[in-house]
Amino acid sequence: MADHPNDWWRGAVGYQIYLRSFADGDGDGVGDLIGVAGRLDHLANLGVDIVWITPCYPSPGADHGYDVSDYLEVDDLFGGRPALDAVVDGAHARGMRVILDLVPNHSSDQHPWFHQALADPSSPARDFYVWRDPAPDGGPPNNWRSHFGGPAWTLDPASGQYWLHLFLPEQPDLNWRNPAVREAFADILRTWFERGLDGFRIDVAHALVVDEAFRSNPEPDVPVDEANPRAAFDSIQHLHDLDQPEAPSLYAPLRAIADEFDAFLVGEVYLFTGEGVARYVEDGLLHHAFFFPALHTAWDPEAIGRVLHDGVAHGRGRFSWPLSSHDDDRAATRFGGGADGTERALAYFAFLSALPGIPFLYQGDELGLENGQVPATASADPITVRNDGAPGRDGSRTPIPWEPGHEFGFTTGTPWLGLGPNRSDTDTAATQARDDRSPLERTRRLLATRRELRDVLASDDATWLAAPPHVLAIRRGDVVAAMNIGGPPATVDLGQPGTVVHTTDADDAGHTVGTTLHVPTDRTVLVRLG
Ligand code: GLC
């Protein structure tokens, strides 16, 4: 059971803002914090509790903000510190918390630390990064690859050494074996908490240290798909560059600081088993970790069942459940697109909302959005731009359609990334707010119901119920959630009568059911027993 039963994030609902694409407040085409401050009522009315904002720090933008050149400031592009203060104050006034994105695995190559490290290899800053001599043939020190294509090493000709970068060369990896790096990040955390932030989402939380001996990873048995860097990266065994045995313990000092401020840490632990992710949320480490297998499944009962059973068993209430993200296809797209994709995404989110832990919406999920269509010539993601059009992340990053009219209300200017030809007035928040059956209104009703059940759902208890193979049914206290994944209408034996409190099918909540619950195709139903 709960180690801190009063923790404010228990029973909460999260919402991810991809800042550049949420709302543009100053007309320059890039979403910003002024825009977020102006849309806080949308979030409060929706019923979310925790708002995660992707990086807002000064950055050259090689990876759209995930290359930070100053961890303690807010980029003027996003409105600077005053705009962040307005977001935090406005969110707090509406009962929501705000968490920022901490990017500790790497800085920008334009960070003063890296400038210093390059300029003076004998300076203490040199050891803030990871340097190795070339292999005997003069090539990279080992076979590690970058997530974004090519080797994970770039040569600094002046010193003759390579620097490590698990992402772009402009994102040099920080050396977390150096106590000075750990102290620098402890100070960064403390500073933001003193400024009133409520926590952090921690980027690439499973990769802060690499093998001390820099051993090569096993060579793959079959050739990797070089035209698709992310698939290539995922297809090899990362024995020595990711998820090292000592990685989780790095969070103990950061957790202690968070606890002083009653702040929350959720890690992007991008691993594929519940057991692997759970190591990072042991007592005294991260409060929570995202469980990404939940957003890698197609609409397939066997796959979803396997993943959610694994996540519930190992998460014990400490996993956050992402429906979509800025790095992956939107749920509606993943589940087949069109009206079916949207219904399935709504059903999936209703079910994730009933699991122990925190369900996270990604901006636009509440509108039932599919990926935006981005023509190849308009690509912005470095994965695509730098790898001859390789599959990238632009589709999930297109701006939010707020209302009919110029650029659907996202900006008065020209958006940095087009909204895409597949957006229409019915996708907009304004139009959906007037339609009781829209994804927005149905998500709002789900979260209102969930809030009424918060005490029940905040516990860690969960029991899977017997159900047909295409149905998942879970009991949490006196609440049962059942989801039908693509099969014929089915029934679940409840053992006792209850009341339907939410259904993603129609607005027939409130009717009583006997001991047998009917679950229509591609729908989730929530029942309160008794
Ligand atoms: C994380 C972020 C992703 C970013 C990468 C490098 O995976 O979610 O958007 O590109 O880290 O910081």
Side-chain angles (χ1 to χ4, degrees), residues 16 18 52 54-55 63-67 101-106 147-148 166-168 171 201-206 230 268 270 292 325-328 381-383 393 397:
Q16 179 190 351
Y18 186 68
W52 151 32
T54 56
D63 188 21
H64 296 126
Y66 283 95
D67 47 324
D101 209 320
L102 187 72
V103 190
N105 179 68
H106 44 265
H147 285 77
F148 292 170
L166 294 180
F167 295 87
L168 299 174
Q171 294 169 297
R201 174 264 191 187
I202 299 179
D203 191 58
V204 208
H206 56 296
R230 283 210 301 171
E268 185 208 21
Y270 221 115
F292 284 97
S325 89
H326 66 299
D327 292 328
D328 301 279
D381 184 356
I383 297 179
R393 305 166 292 180
R397 296 178 171 188

Side-chain angles (χ1 to χ4, degrees), residues 19-20 23-28 30-37 53 55-58 73-87 192:
L19 186 54
R20 297 178 70 90
D24 175 19
D26 64 6
D28 67 358
V30 180
D32 53 38
L33 293 160
I34 305 157
V36 175
I53 302 175
C56 57
Y57 315 102
E73 274 308 325
V74 175
D75 204 316
D76 289 338
L77 179 67
F78 302 125
R81 289 268 304 284
L84 179 62
D85 289 344
V87 168
W192 284 111

